[in-house]
Amino acid sequence: MSVPTAERAVSHQPKSKSVPSGLIDPAMLWRSVPDALRKLDPRTLWRNPVMFIVELGAVWSTVLAIVEPTWFGWLIVGWLWLTVVFANLAEAVAEGRGKAQAESLRKTKADTMARRLTESGAEESVPAPQLKLGDIVVVEAGQVIPGDGDVVEGIASVDESAITGESAPVIRESGGDRSAVTGGTTVLSDRIVVKITQKPGESFIDRMIALVEGANRQKTPNEIALNILLAALTIIFVFAVATLQPLAIYSKANNPGVPDSLSLTANGVSGIVMVALLVCLIPTTIGALLSAIGIAGMDRLVQRNVLAMSGRAVEAAGDVNTLLLDKTGTITLGNRQASAFVPLSGISAAQLADAAQLSSLADETPEGRSIVVFAKQHHGLRARTPGELAHAHWIEFSATTRMSGVDLDGHKLRKGAASAVAEWVRSEGGSVPDELGSIVDGISGAGGTPLVVGQVAGDGGTAEVLGVIHLKDVVKQGMRDRFDEMRKMGIRTVMITGDNPLTAKAIADEAGVDDFLAEATPEDKLALIKKEQAGGRLVAMTGDGTNDAPALAQADVGVAMNTGTSAAKEAGNMVDLDSDPTKLIEIVEIGKQLLITRGALTTFSIANDIAKYFAIIPAMFVALFPGLDLLNIMRLHSPQSAILSAVIFNAIVIVALIPLALKGVRYTPSSASKLLSRNLYLYGLGGIVAPFIGIKLIDLVVQLLPGMS
């Protein structure tokens, strides 16, 4: 799967104009407030069980505060509602980060007219949204492609910057794997005929708009499981807190001398206190941020120009065990390059270099250009052009002859496959030395590609073999380091190539992959994926052709190139708008960052709740049970200030963690045990310490308010 140079050179950096990850634009925060308030609707909030319980508690507390109003009661009610709003704000901000991009995408779709061909061949003008599956449209230079489809006639240069953000145009032509076009892109030159492959409302842009706005985001299996766990913990705490009221009444009965203000058993205040305590003890922090973490994970993919068809795919990327990577364009640069000239005995290196350069001047392939450059840089030959040799007769490469070359002043030069050049030398009356076979076999065994150079020196001269050009696939810089990182994460990398096993092994050893599949066919790829999955492993792979579609559909994470066929894009669960096969490694890292962020904030939240439990309960019941004073290490001012301080801290910490939820916890490749230890030390210990410090500081301020005696 080779990638054209212009497309392969696309930057890996995000092209989205959204706010950088982790930063909250105050203007965006303000714009998200109405959305956060709209999410207070119970029909929306019930999908988040933890925050739904908080909202029910806030409603009940509001009623109690109306029945028996107090400063303390109304302060608690206000912060309970702020807790729900802050939780909704986290999700609203995460969704709002994609709205600017969605708006620009809508503009590319709006008001586009299509030139649809009728059955008689005549053209009719129709709005783009009215196009149906199978319609044929004509698009010429300067016009916007009205819908997703395949080029069935013609070739054109297309500007895809409206979708990918990349200004470099790409070539789209009928037939092959570069025929797919996307609605909203612009034809820069020539004329193409496109067959629409989308249904109304299901275009690539429609799906991308729904993605960046979060409209079609479905909860992933891990997210659902965590929601169930949080709901279970919430129910447990509901029963635990419910037992405190009868306990307080019983204790008050046995301690009649304790004032109500200290025992917190007055009817109205007691109900509000129970709700406040419940909200502080249930996992509200992770419950508030869980949805935002998932949306932000998909947003990070969008910033890298990757369209995920579902959150499940992003999550699966974080759990991937096996990476199937195409050699060409992913591990190697995609073009073989000259690395050495190996002359035969009796032939000088300068003579071979001169012949190799001359025979390659008219060869416009990357391999041919690399030979010319290598001869200039390593043998001091000046750059020559075919124009300087106007009287020369150039022999273009053909699949039949498997050779190219030049006839110049009776001097014949040929360059090509070893067997083809050897046969040509013999046909010209020359002989092929045994030495050639050993050189060719040595280069092939090392993973290179040998091109043999032969000549006939002048009219009536003897045909002879001059030597061999060593072409090799150049492994991309830094690939070995990246594969080492994958190995640290427990991910097995497999290189897929159509090369012979010897060549494949040489490239695999140089790149540092764990395994390789040589002479791979579509059936071989599919069989390998099924074999890996049968062993309980999750598999990720990239592809762009129709023949890749079965494997992309079978893989747990199938990343289709945007330049590929419609079949490939439909089969995969992600589409890379940059068509950069190496993006798969970044996708895996983003998926792992998503899982690590969720785990880190869950650890922090649960540790937070435990700390708040030990901070609040002693302050609440120290009047009834003086022995609890030993546990009141923060020395909070009063039971009322303890409760209010905890509720305020509980709300503020949600806002404080929104940037971390959006940016994600910094990911460094390491083993699962090291990641667990890091989470426990940093977020577990931090979750225990933070409430003690935060609640104490808030208490110093709260105790100055009326009703906090």
Side-chain angles (χ1 to χ4, degrees), residues 400-463:
T400 303
T401 63
R402 295 189 297 156
M403 291 188 304
S404 63
V406 60
D407 293 342
L408 179 64
D409 298 329
H411 192 84
K412 298 180 180 179
L413 292 172
R414 296 293 185 271
K415 173 201 69 181
S419 58
V421 174
E423 184 179 345
W424 175 79
V425 168
R426 293 189 185 97
S427 68
E428 293 288 337
S431 61
V432 178
D434 295 337
E435 180 186 3
L436 178 65
S438 61
I439 294 175
V440 169
D441 291 342
I443 292 174
S444 298
T449 301
L451 292 182
V452 175
V453 179
Q455 73 166 358
V456 175
D459 293 334
T462 303

Side-chain angles (χ1 to χ4, degrees), residues 592-670:
K592 287 195 172 293
Q593 186 185 36
L594 169 66
L595 296 180
I596 291 170
T597 301
R598 187 183 294 159
L601 292 183
T602 301
T603 303
F604 182 89
S605 179
I606 294 176
N608 219 354
D609 296 333
I610 295 173
K612 284 183 286 187
Y613 184 89
F614 286 102
I616 298 171
I617 296 298
M620 287 180 59
F621 290 96
V622 68
L624 298 175
F625 305 102
L628 290 176
D629 190 57
L630 294 175
L631 298 178
N632 187 17
I633 60 177
M634 287 189 290
R635 298 299 167 185
L636 300 178
H637 177 66
S638 67
Q640 287 88 348
S641 70
I643 288 290
L644 182 57
S645 298
V647 171
I648 293 174
F649 175 83
N650 192 67
I652 291 177
V653 76
I654 293 173
V655 179
L657 290 176
I658 290 177
L660 183 61
L662 297 182
K663 182 181 180 181
V665 174
R666 184 174 178 270
Y667 171 71
T668 53
S670 58

